[in-house]
Amino acid sequence: MQLHFPSPVCSTSNRASLPFLPLSLSIRRPKIVRCCSINGSEKAQQRRVTAYPFSEIEPRWQKHWDENKTFRTPDEIDVAKPKCYILDMFPYPSGAGLHVGHPLGYTATDIISRYKRMKGFNVLHPMGWDAFGLPAEQYAIETGTHPRVTTKRNIERFRAQLKSLGFSYDWDRELSTTEPDYYKWTQWIFLQLLKRGLAYQAEVPVNWCPALGTVLANEEVVDGVSERGGYPVIRKPMRQWMLKITAYADRLIEDLETLDWPDSIKEMQRNWIGRSEGAEIEFPVIDSNGSEKQDISLCVYTTRPDTLFGATYLVVAPEHPLLSSLISDEQNELVEQYIELASRKSDLERTELQKEKTGIFSGTFARNPATGEVIPIWVADYVLGGYGTGAIMAVPAHDSRDFDFASKYELPIIDVVRPTSGSFDLTGAYADEGIMVNSSNVSAGLDFNGLSNKETASRIIQWLERTGQGKKKVNYKLRDWLFARQRYWGEPFPVIFLEGTGEMVPLSESDLPLTLPELDDFTPTGTGDPPLSKATSWVKTVDPDSGLPARRETSTMPQWAGFMDPKNPNALVDSAKERYWGPVDIYVGGAEHSVLHLLYARFWHKVLYDIGIVSTKEPFQCLINQGLILGEVEYTVYKDKEGKLVSVDADDSLSEYSQEKVPPEMATKVGDSYVRKDHPNIKINARAYKMSKSRGNVINPDDVVSEYGADSLRLYEMFMGPLRDSKTWSTGGIEGVHRFLGRTWRLIVGPPLADGSYRDGTVATDSEPTLEQLRVLHRCIAKVAEEIQETRFNTAISCMMEFINAAYKWKNQPKEVLEVFVLLLSPFAPHMAEELWFRLGNSTSLAYQPFPEAKSEYLKETTVVLPVQINGKTRGTITVEKGCSEEDAFELALADEKLCKYLNGGKIKKKIYVPGRILNVIVVKQEVARS
C-alpha cells in the first residue's frame, strides 16, 4: 500500500503546494525547562536541552497517519504475502491515564510492526480496551456517575495518549469489551461451552468481599484484603458458574512444548496445572464404639502411596463437605471457631505464605487400611478443599508440612523410607527415594520391607484396587474456572431460570446480545445478591418457548477478546480471515499475567478449535514479557532518636531508626555505595520503587512528550536496557537520546538559521558514497535488522548512534546514504523519520518502503591493525588495507604522529615487513659531523 503526498519537496518554490506542512519550521531555542523530581512534584532544574522541531513535526504526522489511515489493515489483502499478527495485552482504561511504564511494551510491538511492514508482511496490529470491571463500578458507587460515562471518558484519554506516541495501530479495529456488538460473541462462546457440558453451576468456596459486595479472583486478594480498597475478604460457599477447564488440563500441558514462550512462564503454567500421579485411598471412619461407620469413609489423595504405613493422622480442609459429620460434640465449638478464622485467609496465605501450621482435632478417628491402626482426624487450613479430595493422609516423616504440624501437636512420626546409604535421625522430613522399612502387616499379608519405594508404590496401588480400598488416580492442582462476578458492570449471562422449578434455559443465539439494563444504584445489596438484582423489570422475564415466568442470571461474566474480525455481525470470525491471520505471532505483556489470563485464553481457544471455529490449537505462538519501569531512584538516610545519622551498614538493627529522604543532588556514589555529599562517611539507601500514586513517583508521559517529544520517549524506553529486564527511570537519561535525535536532525537538515528556524530541505548531496561510507552504512543496516528481530532494541539504537558519530566526520552527506539511514531510524523514531524522508525529496510515506538490506561486499573486514616496531620494540600501530604493500605501510607509519618521531632524524638501515602481521624498521641514528 502506498500513500501519496501532494508533491515532492525539492525547493522552497513548491512548499506552498503542501497544505499540511508550514512554510517554515521554527524551533524552540535551547532554554530552561522543568522536570519531575523523584517524589512526582515539579522541581526547577536548570539544564540545556538540545532541541529539534518535534512540537511541530509530531502532531502533523500523527494527523496525517490518522486521516490517511496509513496503518489500516484492509479486509481484502494479498494472502500470498507473509503475515504477522502482533498483539499487546490491552489495557484497562483507568482514570489515572498512562504512566511512562505503560508504553514500554507498546513501543516494542510498534517497532516490530513497522519493521515487518517494511519487510513486506501484512501486519495486523490492533488495540482495544479491557473496559468492564470493578474499578469503574466502585467509582460509580462513590460518585454516582454511571460506569459507562467514566469508561468512555477514560478510553478517550488513553486513546489520545497512545496516539500522541505515534503507535501504528489499526484504529478501525478498536474495540471495547463493554460494547454489545462485541460481547454478543462472548455470550455466544458461553452458549457453546454450555452445550458441551463445559459450563455448569456449583456450590464452591469463593473470595467474598462484603464491603465491595462481590466475589474476587485470587489475584485480586492481597494479604487477606481486597487489592482495591483494602477491605477484608472471607472464604464463603456460593453457587457460582464454573467453566470446566480441568477437562483440558493434559492438553494445556502438552501443547506448551509447541510454543515460543519463556521457559519460566511455561514452568509456571505446568506448576499451576499441577499434574500428578498417585492414588485415592479410602480411610474408614471410626464411631465412638471403635467400630467402622458403614455410611461414611474419608477419601484422601496422595502422590506417595508407598508411605501409607507411615500415615499417623489425617487432615481435612476447613471447607470439606463431610466435615460437619466428622466433628465430635465435644470439639464442635472449637472447630467452628477455627473454620471462621480460616475463612479469612486466601489460598496463598494458607499454603505458600503460612510459616506456622495451625489446626484443630476434629474429635473423631479413622483406620489406616494398611496398618489397621486407629489414627486421629484433624482440621487444618494448610489443606485446601479445592485440591485432590480436600483431605490428606499425613506422613510427617516424609513431608515437611506434615512434619512441622506433627512436631507442633506432638503427633507420631514413623519413618517408612530410608536412604539406601543409611538411616536418618528424624530431625526433619526425608522426601527422597529409598528403601522401605516399618512397612509390614502380617495379618493383611503385606510386607514391603527392603523393596524400593517406587516398586512399593506400584504394589500398594494394586493391593488397594484388589481389595476395593482405593485406586490409581491422576490429579491436578488446577481447579475449574470460577466464571461469575457479583457486579453490575460486566457481561450478562445469556441464560434464564424458570420460576418454580429453577430449570436453567439458555437463550437462543438469535436473541443475542443480551444487553445490560440501565441502573442508577450500583451499591452492594447487603444480601450477597449482585447489584443487577435491583433491575427487577429486567430480571423478571418469560421463557420465549413455553411462556412460563422466568428470571435472568444476575451475576456477570468476566471478559474475553478477539481482533481478527471484530466488526463481523454474522460470525465470531470469518473462517478465511482466521485461517490466514491465526495464531497471534507475537504477544507482548507483563509477566503478572503469566498464569491465569494466558491459561484461560488457551482454554477457550482450544474449545473453539474443537468445534471448528479456529484452525490453530494455541492462540499465542510467541510470548514476550517486558520488564517494569521503576520510578526514579529514591535516597534515604537513617537517624537515631537523637537525630544523629546512622550508616546503612551499621551493625545495629535499622528498624529502630527513623528514615529521612535525601534530595538527589545531595547523594553521590562512592564505590558500590551511595553516601551523602556533606557526610561522605554515612552510607545511604538508594532504591527504585514500582510507580504508584501513593509513592508519588509516577511520571506522566504527557509531560515527557511535551518537553522532549514522543520520539525521544520511545527511543529512551527502548534504550534503557533489554526489553525483558526491569529498568529505573531517569529524567536525566532521556536527555541523551534527545540529543542524539537533535544531532541526527542537524546532520541531515543542517544547523538552525539565525532566527532559530531551519531550511526547507536538507544538506544532502548527490555525490556518490565513498567505500568507507558504504561500509559504515551497511554494517549499521545488518546490526539494526538483527537486533530488531531479536528484540534487542537498546543495542540497535547504540548502533545508530555510532553511525551518526561516524557521519559527522564525513566531508559530505550523500543523499543515497542518508535515505537508507532514515529508513533504519523510522521504526524507532517514526515522526522524525517521516519528516526527514519527505525533506529528502520523497513523495510517499516511508511506512511501506522496503527495509534496507545489507550487502555482503560491504560487510567484509578489509583492514587490519598492523603493529609497528622500531628496532625490534613495538612503538604503535597503524590501520592498513589487507594486501597493503611494504611501501604504503611505511608511508602510513611516517604519517603517524606518534611513530614519526622515532623515524625522523635517523637512517633507515632495514625494513622487515610481514603483510598483515608486522612492520619492523631498523633505524640507525646519524652522527652530527664536527667542523
Side-chain angles (χ1 to χ4, degrees):
M1 180 172 70
Q2 295 289 320
L3 297 178
H4 293 277
F5 295 99
S7 62
V9 54
C10 300
S11 65
T12 308
S13 61
N14 66 4
R15 179 68 68 182
S17 66
L18 304 175
F20 57 86
L21 194 63
L23 185 61
S24 66
L25 281 170
S26 63
I27 182 171
R28 297 182 298 169
R29 304 296 291 169
K31 65 172 187 176
I32 302 299
V33 299
R34 295 173 66 84
C35 75
C36 291
S37 68
I38 58 172
N39 61 9
S41 64
E42 289 194 337
K43 178 178 179 182
Q45 293 182 351
Q46 294 191 353
R47 63 172 183 260
R48 306 287 287 179
V49 177
T50 306
Y52 62 95
F54 62 83
S55 59
E56 289 85 6
I57 292 172
E58 293 179 350
R60 183 172 61 252
W61 283 103
Q62 289 163 14
K63 181 181 179 183
H64 176 82
W65 295 329
D66 207 31
E67 291 178 347
N68 291 275
K69 297 186 182 296
T70 303
F71 306 111
R72 183 181 184 277
T73 304
D75 292 327
E76 301 299 327
I77 57 174
D78 180 3
V79 296
K81 292 173 63 176
K83 66 92 179 180
C84 191
Y85 182 4
I86 302 171
L87 189 62
D88 297 289
M89 291 185 185
F90 54 91
Y92 174 79
S94 70
L98 299 174
H99 63 63
V100 293
H102 291 114
L104 181 66
Y106 304 150
T107 303
T109 56
D110 192 62
I111 291 170
I112 299 169
S113 297
R114 290 176 179 273
Y115 173 76
K116 289 292 187 178
R117 290 190 194 97
M118 297 174 78
K119 294 293 287 185
F121 285 71
N122 289 324
V123 173
L124 182 61
H125 190 208
M127 175 50 71
W129 314 106
D130 182 8
F132 273 134
L134 185 58
E137 188 159 319
Q138 283 302 112
Y139 186 79
I141 293 171
E142 295 164 7
T143 65
T145 308
H146 197 285
R148 186 178 294 106
V149 174
T150 54
T151 299
K152 181 180 179 182
R153 181 171 65 235
N154 294 343
I155 286 175
E156 289 172 353
R157 172 163 169 72
F158 265 62
R159 185 192 302 113
Q161 287 185 296
L162 291 178
K163 285 190 173 183
S164 76
L165 295 172
F167 297 136
S168 59
Y169 292 119
D170 178 359
W171 287 105
D172 280 6
R173 291 177 183 269
E174 177 188 7
L175 61 81
S176 167
T177 55
T178 62
E179 297 169 0
D181 287 346
Y182 164 76
Y183 65 70
K184 164 186 178 178
W185 294 108
T186 69
Q187 292 173 338
W188 181 88
I189 294 174
F190 177 80
L191 292 178
Q192 311 316 306
L193 294 166
L194 199 60
K195 290 177 185 176
R196 288 157 181 80
L198 296 172
Y200 64 96
Q201 285 190 303
E203 189 91 3
V204 294
V206 298
N207 299 315
W208 173 253
C209 180
L212 296 176
T214 188
V215 171
L216 298 178
N218 285 333
E219 63 269 26
E220 295 174 311
V221 181
V222 179
D223 297 332
V225 298
S226 62
E227 185 179 35
R228 181 175 179 83
Y231 300 111
V233 176
I234 62 173
R235 297 286 287 177
K236 175 182 177 180
M238 293 182 68
R239 190 162 182 78
Q240 297 285 292
W241 279 102
M242 310 290 292
L243 298 186
K244 203 169 185 179
I245 190 173
T246 51
Y248 284 74
D250 285 332
R251 288 168 61 181
L252 288 168
I253 293 175
E254 293 163 5
D255 291 344
L256 281 171
E257 298 302 322
T258 67
L259 301 178
D260 180 13
W261 286 19
D263 290 339
S264 60
I265 303 300
K266 290 183 180 181
E267 190 60 25
M268 288 174 71
Q269 292 219 345
R270 292 189 190 99
N271 291 339
W272 188 268
I273 296 167
R275 186 184 191 278
S276 62
E277 295 185 4
E280 280 188 355
I281 305 174
E282 297 288 343
F283 282 75
V285 176
I286 306 301
D287 62 23
S288 57
N289 297 320
S291 303
E292 294 183 5
K293 290 186 177 182
Q294 299 302 311
D295 58 340
I296 183 173
S297 65
L298 199 54
C299 180
V300 307
Y301 171 77
T302 178
T303 59
R304 294 291 305 271
D306 54 305
T307 64
L308 178 57
F309 278 82
T312 58
Y313 62 99
L314 302 181
V315 183
V316 297
E319 58 272 18
H320 195 285
L322 295 180
L323 181 56
S324 60
S325 60
L326 297 175
I327 307 171
S328 68
D329 294 338
E330 295 79 9
Q331 290 292 100
N332 186 66
E333 185 176 348
L334 292 174
V335 173
E336 289 296 331
Q337 291 175 0
Y338 184 81
I339 293 172
E340 169 65 19
L341 291 173
S343 72
R344 301 184 183 279
K345 298 180 183 179
S346 69
D347 287 353
L348 191 62
E349 290 177 293
R350 288 170 54 180
T351 53
E352 284 86 348
L353 297 183
Q354 185 166 295
K355 303 297 182 184
E356 184 179 356
K357 302 296 180 288
T358 63
I360 190 78
F361 177 45
S362 70
T364 56
F365 297 83
R367 191 183 305 281
N368 185 323
T371 65
E373 297 290 330
V374 173
I375 58 177
I377 301 174
W378 282 69
V379 184
D381 60 10
Y382 77 88
V383 175
L384 301 178
Y387 178 67
T389 64
I392 66 164
M393 66 177 203
V395 185
H398 305 292
D399 181 277
S400 59
R401 296 184 310 168
D402 298 343
F403 183 89
D404 292 342
F405 192 90
S407 299
K408 178 178 179 178
Y409 293 105
E410 299 181 349
L411 295 166
I413 300 175
I414 300 174
D415 67 312
V416 293
V417 181
R418 291 182 182 172
T420 53
S421 59
S423 62
F424 68 109
D425 57 9
L426 287 182
T427 57
Y430 177 74
D432 294 331
E433 296 180 4
I435 301 300
M436 303 304 300
V437 296
N438 299 324
S439 298
S440 174
N441 182 353
V442 176
S443 63
L446 300 176
D447 185 4
F448 303 108
N449 291 333
L451 298 179
S452 71
N453 69 299
K454 277 191 172 182
E455 183 180 354
T456 299
S458 176
R459 290 195 179 190
I460 283 184
I461 291 175
Q462 293 174 12
W463 173 75
L464 289 168
E465 291 181 332
R466 188 170 62 251
T467 58
Q469 299 179 92
K471 61 182 178 180
K472 185 175 183 179
K473 180 73 174 179
V474 175
N475 198 38
Y476 303 88
K477 288 183 182 178
L478 180 67
R479 301 294 90 196
D480 281 344
W481 179 6
L482 195 157
F483 196 70
R485 300 291 183 266
Q486 283 62 51
R487 302 171 188 164
Y488 164 72
W489 196 231
E491 300 162 338
F493 278 91
V495 297
I496 60 175
F497 298 91
L498 300 183
E499 292 288 356
T501 65
E503 179 187 353
M504 186 274 297
V505 178
L507 295 185
S508 169
E509 293 176 11
S510 61
D511 291 334
L512 302 180
L514 172 62
T515 58
L516 272 177
E518 289 298 319
L519 200 62
D520 296 325
D521 180 10
F522 316 103
T523 57
T525 60
T527 63
D529 292 324
L532 260 181
S533 62
K534 297 179 181 181
T536 53
S537 61
W538 180 84
V539 173
K540 293 181 179 180
T541 185
V542 295
D543 177 15
D545 292 334
S546 66
L548 295 173
R551 59 178 178 83
R552 299 193 190 279
E553 171 63 74
T554 53
S555 292
T556 52
M557 295 192 287
Q559 43 222 356
W560 318 56
F563 282 106
M564 293 181 195
D565 195 17
K567 309 298 183 183
N568 190 334
N570 302 314
L572 174 66
V573 61
D574 177 83
S575 59
K577 291 178 181 177
E578 187 281 324
R579 285 195 301 272
Y580 178 74
W581 286 115
V584 174
D585 296 284
I586 300 173
Y587 193 29
V588 176
E592 65 272 17
H593 302 291
S594 56
V595 176
L596 299 181
H597 158 66
L598 291 172
L599 203 62
Y600 296 156
R602 293 179 63 217
F603 160 61
W604 67 258
H605 187 90
K606 289 181 181 299
V607 175
L608 294 177
Y609 173 79
D610 288 349
I611 63 178
I613 302 299
V614 298
S615 59
T616 61
K617 294 182 179 180
E618 289 285 337
F620 316 117
Q621 184 57 39
C622 173
L623 174 68
I624 299 174
N625 295 131
Q626 86 272 14
L628 290 174
I629 292 184
L630 305 173
E632 295 200 69
V633 174
E634 299 181 21
Y635 304 93
T636 53
V637 66
Y638 289 92
K639 286 186 174 182
D640 62 18
K641 293 179 181 179
E642 298 176 357
K644 294 181 180 179
L645 300 179
V646 180
S647 186
V648 296
D649 59 352
D651 293 334
D652 300 352
S653 171
L654 294 174
S655 61
E656 301 175 3
Y657 303 116
S658 61
Q659 296 183 42
E660 183 180 280
K661 284 193 174 182
V662 177
E665 61 271 18
M666 292 295 294
T668 186
K669 192 171 187 180
V670 177
D672 295 331
S673 305
Y674 283 86
V675 300
R676 280 182 55 144
K677 288 182 179 178
D678 56 346
H679 292 84
N681 61 323
I682 299 296
K683 293 182 179 180
I684 60 178
N685 262 337
R687 179 182 171 186
Y689 296 87
K690 185 178 179 180
M691 289 188 184
S692 66
K693 287 191 294 184
S694 61
R695 290 204 69 86
N697 64 348
V698 172
I699 306 293
N700 189 327
D702 297 348
D703 297 335
V704 179
V705 170
S706 174
E707 285 300 336
Y708 297 98
D711 283 346
S712 291
L713 176 58
R714 292 167 58 106
L715 219 62
Y716 177 55
E717 296 219 348
M718 295 296 99
F719 190 60
M720 291 170 73
L723 176 64
R724 295 162 177 81
D725 292 355
S726 291
K727 281 86 64 176
T728 302
W729 178 268
S730 170
T731 300
I734 197 172
E735 293 175 4
V737 295
H738 186 70
R739 285 194 295 271
F740 160 66
L741 290 175
R743 294 189 75 215
T744 301
W745 174 266
R746 293 189 300 278
L747 175 76
I748 298 174
V749 175
L753 304 175
D755 63 354
S757 64
Y758 284 90
R759 70 182 73 206
D760 293 334
T762 68
V763 298
T765 67
D766 292 328
S767 59
E768 287 292 321
T770 66
L771 180 61
E772 179 58 23
Q773 287 172 332
L774 290 172
R775 285 174 179 165
V776 172
L777 174 66
H778 282 268
R779 287 171 193 156
C780 186
I781 294 171
K783 185 67 172 176
V784 171
E786 177 186 354
E787 301 304 76
I788 289 177
Q789 292 178 79
E790 297 299 323
T791 65
R792 296 190 293 256
F793 304 119
N794 55 323
T795 49
I797 295 168
S798 295
C799 182
M800 290 188 285
M801 289 177 170
E802 292 171 5
F803 172 89
I804 291 298
N805 289 338
Y808 261 94
K809 299 175 183 178
W810 299 342
K811 293 181 179 179
N812 60 16
Q813 307 297 335
K815 177 183 175 182
E816 180 183 330
V817 172
L818 294 182
E819 283 189 332
V820 173
F821 177 76
V822 167
L823 293 175
L824 295 180
L825 180 66
S826 64
F828 298 84
H831 306 89
M832 176 181 282
E834 288 275 24
E835 179 69 20
L836 294 175
W837 181 253
F838 182 74
R839 282 171 167 264
L840 285 164
N842 298 283
S843 60
T844 59
S845 169
L846 54 67
Y848 295 89
Q849 287 292 318
F851 196 84
E853 296 284 346
K855 294 183 179 179
S856 58
E857 60 264 33
Y858 300 121
L859 300 178
K860 297 175 182 176
E861 191 59 63
T862 61
T863 61
V864 294
V865 177
L866 189 73
V868 178
Q869 293 183 343
I870 309 298
N871 294 335
K873 188 173 183 179
T874 301
R875 297 293 187 180
T877 61
I878 56 176
T879 302
V880 302
E881 292 288 328
K882 289 182 179 178
C884 176
S885 67
E886 179 183 298
E887 182 180 350
D888 289 340
F890 183 69
E891 290 297 323
L892 287 169
L894 281 174
D896 185 273
E897 182 179 348
K898 183 178 179 180
L899 294 170
C900 68
K901 66 181 180 181
Y902 296 102
L903 296 171
N904 291 336
K907 181 181 178 180
I908 307 300
K909 182 178 180 181
K910 187 178 181 182
K911 289 181 283 189
I912 303 170
Y913 179 59
V914 180
R917 299 288 298 277
I918 197 167
L919 171 64
N920 189 6
V921 183
I922 308 300
V923 180
V924 178
K925 289 186 177 181
Q926 296 183 1
E927 294 185 2
V928 180
R930 296 182 179 179
S931 57

